Amino acid sequence: MNVKALERTAVYVCSAVPVLVPCLVALALGVFDDREGPQPTHVPPSADAAKGEQPPKTPNETGAKSEQPDPTWFTATDAASPSNNPDLVVPYPLAITPLRPDAVTLNWAPISIENVILMSDNYAVRFRGTVFELSEDYGITYTKSFDWGQSDLRIQYLFSDGSYLFGNHTTLYYTHDWETHHRTTVLDEAGKPFESDVSFDLFSGHIPNKNRDVRMVGDEEIEVHVWGNYSTRTGVADTTNIVLWYTRDRGATVRIAYRYNDVDTLRARHVHAVDFSPTGDRKWYAQTGDFANQCHVLECTYDEVKDAWSFAVAGSTPEAHGDYKWVQMAWRRENGQWYVYYGWDRYPGGVRKFAYPDDIGNPDKHALVLSTPRDCVLCHIYPHTGEMVTTIVPWGGDASANCNDFWYTKDGQTWHLIRGNFPAEHAARTSFPTWPTEVSPLGISVFRVNANMSDPANRGGVTLSFDSRVRAQGFPEAFPATATVSHECLYDLEWRERGDAPVRVTDIGNEDIPYTLTDLVPNSEYEYRVRARANGETSQWSAWTAFRTRAPAP
């Protein structure tokens, strides 16, 4: 068969000294505007996947099921290479783009997601033992680090300039240079030193805001970050220890913006999420649960000149598990109108959608676009394509539902069931994803897994990815890369039609990526894998990544 290279549109790095060149950074985090940026291209599910679909009982498609082999989440691409060269990692397969029925382009990057806890723009943060490491080239090399001396990480946030806020149950820290770190000054709502008599969950949060709130105060640029603490433990949950925290100086000072369960404030068991509107109205929305008189969406407005907050209830229901028991808001612009999608954390629940801001207070106009078998706790959007994923938790509804599964959509309307498979030590029904981060410019989406939500001493444990599972199950074009880099590295490629012996291509250089395969059989199942070679060393092979060629036009 004839194999040739496509004209380069994106080139990825894998060398000891990669050279970064300009990249297209994704649009404002957590927002998709249909008038700007690359648009999603429909990828028909594989024929095998379509066989498993059932007529939807609700306005969603949840039966898409692939007959391809079911690789685990924790594939070879997630493991560190045994090479002595720390930059020679197992290549990470990226989106596969059909060109025509007999041709596709293959893409990959020299990235390991092992121990990565956050990706944002060109940054990646890795946490190993007690050491934080920062990459400024998408996770290819890590050039800055410091030793925290602790391992119990409960909260984190990376600011747009690379500053980092992090902490444990009761203490916050920050670094502005990734060489030194300092203890954060924590103040109450009156500006006095914060005091508490509990020793857990004061700062814990697991679904961070994705939209940045950057403002000018005179000649100074500030970035406001807000979050609320999540706890189910006696002494914190349902008490005045449940608060909204904020910082305007990149973590050096953190202060209470709002205290729940106090005189003349809202009741709340805990805070699910706090999200910033990217529409230009500069509103924050805090979402709480879980029981009677605790499910609210609180609109928060910040005056950066006065350093003061004002609040209004955007929506509230007195009953437990009501219309306003939300977890994460995702803004999407469709035909010139802003819409919010949110995880409806109840059963029956799922993902609902409403026109923003007009219908936020009218739940009768919130349309159910996905019904899930258990409580839905995540509605996560990728900005430059509008793709979304949503997950469920092991309570509420159908006890037989597999909480390792999640749903994927390109358009917000048609949702596809994606089979998940956590590593054995994290496959308990008390596991679910946390700390999801935006898709990186290389098309990679990482998240942490809570090993056991009922065990407060065991939060987090392994880094997984949404993108690899989606691509492997009928959507090879999902999460396209937007970054361009260069490198000094060669690759070996093996590819095969399902059931055939592999064909090997060697010495693929950076100028050849993405790589084009031609003369393929239309409407057929293929798979490929890649390994890297540099300085006399060879990495492991990546996991086999499956794709289907397109059917010829009728």
Side-chain angles (χ1 to χ4, degrees):
M1 292 190 177
N2 178 31
V3 182
K4 64 180 181 180
L6 178 71
E7 179 181 359
R8 179 165 62 100
T9 59
V11 180
Y12 299 92
V13 311
C14 184
S15 72
V17 188
V19 179
L20 194 64
V21 298
C23 72
L24 174 63
V25 177
L27 299 175
L29 307 179
V31 53
F32 172 70
D33 187 334
D34 67 354
R35 301 175 305 173
E36 303 176 7
Q39 301 300 299
T41 301
H42 175 65
V43 186
S46 68
D48 287 341
K51 292 177 184 177
E53 295 178 5
Q54 301 296 325
K57 297 180 180 179
T58 54
N60 62 278
E61 176 189 351
T62 60
K65 194 173 185 178
S66 175
E67 293 181 1
Q68 300 169 357
D70 187 23
T72 63
W73 285 95
F74 205 54
T75 64
T77 58
D78 302 323
S81 167
S83 167
N84 292 325
N85 181 350
D87 298 306
L88 190 60
V89 298
V90 178
Y92 188 100
L94 298 175
I96 302 165
T97 307
L99 297 179
R100 52 184 188 270
D102 68 338
V104 301
T105 61
L106 309 178
N107 216 335
W108 57 84
I111 301 294
S112 170
I113 67 171
E114 186 179 27
N115 298 310
V116 174
I117 58 174
L118 188 153
M119 285 184 166
S120 178
D121 297 330
N122 59 301
Y123 296 112
V125 176
R126 190 163 64 183
F127 187 46
R128 299 195 289 180
T130 62
V131 176
F132 288 102
E133 299 170 291
L134 179 69
S135 171
E136 298 176 286
D137 58 6
Y138 315 106
I140 298 161
T141 59
Y142 290 82
T143 57
K144 298 179 179 179
S145 65
F146 64 89
D147 190 341
W148 182 26
Q150 303 180 45
S151 60
D152 189 17
L153 182 65
R154 301 290 166 145
I155 187 67
Q156 63 164 345
Y157 184 76
L158 188 72
F159 296 89
S160 56
D161 67 348
S163 297
Y164 189 54
L165 171 68
F166 58 99
N168 55 32
H169 281 287
T170 60
T171 309
L172 294 173
Y173 302 85
Y174 70 95
T175 179
H176 290 171
D177 58 12
W178 282 85
E179 296 177 356
T180 59
H181 65 284
H182 312 276
R183 186 164 176 168
T184 296
T185 299
V186 181
L187 305 175
D188 64 16
E189 55 268 62
K192 298 179 180 179
F194 172 74
E195 297 180 355
S196 176
D197 58 355
V198 298
S199 58
F200 45 83
D201 289 345
L202 291 177
F203 302 112
S204 300
H206 59 267
I207 301 180
N209 163 66
K210 301 299 184 298
N211 302 319
R212 298 197 183 280
D213 182 2
V214 178
R215 313 180 182 206
M216 295 301 297
V217 181
D219 296 330
E220 178 189 10
E221 181 183 89
I222 66 170
E223 182 172 346
V224 182
H225 175 56
V226 186
W227 83 99
N229 57 325
Y230 181 98
S231 179
T232 60
R233 302 184 67 183
T234 301
V236 179
D238 305 285
T239 74
T240 55
N241 288 307
I242 297 299
V243 304
L244 300 180
W245 300 103
Y246 79 101
T247 179
R248 56 177 282 161
D249 55 10
R250 294 177 169 83
T253 307
V254 165
R255 183 172 172 175
I256 293 177
Y258 186 88
R259 189 187 294 270
Y260 290 92
N261 305 305
D262 206 349
V263 178
D264 297 327
T265 65
L266 295 173
R267 307 292 81 120
R269 186 188 188 200
H270 48 222
V271 179
H272 286 162
V274 186
D275 293 299
F276 181 65
S277 164
T279 66
D281 61 7
R282 304 204 302 185
K283 303 290 188 184
W284 289 84
Y285 292 94
Q287 304 132 62
T288 59
D290 284 324
F291 306 122
N293 299 307
Q294 294 181 330
C295 301
H296 317 285
V297 175
L298 181 65
E299 179 186 285
C300 313
T301 304
Y302 181 61
D303 185 327
E304 65 273 19
V305 176
K306 296 180 180 179
D307 188 18
W309 289 89
S310 59
F311 304 95
V313 178
S316 179
T317 47
E319 70 271 19
H321 311 293
D323 283 314
Y324 287 94
K325 191 185 178 194
W326 298 5
V327 181
Q328 196 172 44
M329 300 165 65
W331 279 260
R332 197 176 193 272
R333 194 158 192 171
E334 301 169 1
N335 299 319
Q337 170 66 52
W338 285 104
Y339 289 90
V340 165
Y341 292 74
Y342 62 85
W344 198 16
D345 181 21
R346 49 160 283 172
Y347 181 82
V351 176
R352 296 211 294 184
K353 166 189 177 182
F354 65 85
Y356 179 86
D358 295 347
D359 295 335
I360 190 170
N362 187 355
D364 291 338
K365 292 188 176 182
H366 296 192
L368 183 68
V369 296
L370 171 69
S371 177
T372 56
R374 308 205 80 171
D375 290 11
C376 178
V377 296
L378 177 68
C379 185
H380 192 58
I381 191 167
Y382 298 102
H384 62 286
T385 63
E387 295 163 287
M388 288 187 281
V389 295
T390 192
T391 63
I392 57 176
V393 290
W395 49 81
D398 182 2
S400 67
N402 187 348
C403 297
N404 294 337
D405 294 344
F406 63 96
W407 286 261
Y408 162 79
T409 181
K410 289 186 71 70
D411 58 12
Q413 300 303 312
T414 302
W415 296 76
H416 306 273
L417 176 64
I418 303 297
R419 294 296 184 190
N421 187 8
F422 292 162
E425 66 271 25
H426 295 281
R429 292 204 175 276
T430 49
S431 298
F432 73 98
T434 186
W435 286 351
T437 62
E438 65 268 17
V439 68
S440 84
L442 294 189
I444 301 171
S445 167
V446 299
F447 64 93
R448 297 291 285 177
V449 168
N450 278 340
N452 192 328
M453 273 297 293
S454 65
D455 178 5
N458 190 15
R459 299 192 67 182
V462 67
T463 301
L464 307 174
S465 65
F466 286 124
D467 59 283
S468 60
R469 297 297 293 173
V470 172
R471 294 188 189 112
Q473 295 186 39
F475 302 92
E477 291 181 79
F479 312 110
T482 59
T484 303
V485 293
S486 63
H487 67 91
E488 297 177 1
C489 185
L490 295 176
Y491 293 98
D492 296 332
L493 164 70
E494 285 191 345
W495 60 276
R496 64 191 180 192
E497 189 173 0
R498 188 63 55 78
D500 289 353
V503 176
R504 179 175 295 183
V505 183
T506 60
D507 298 334
I508 298 172
N510 61 344
E511 69 279 2
D512 301 322
I513 308 170
Y515 198 86
T516 299
L517 297 179
T518 62
D519 294 338
L520 304 176
V521 179
N523 198 28
S524 297
E525 296 287 349
Y526 287 85
E527 57 188 0
Y528 83 99
R529 63 180 185 175
V530 190
R531 68 182 180 188
R533 292 188 291 109
N535 302 321
E537 298 172 346
T538 303
S539 77
Q540 296 175 327
W541 287 101
S542 68
W544 285 102
T545 298
F547 63 94
R548 176 185 285 274
T549 52
R550 285 179 172 170

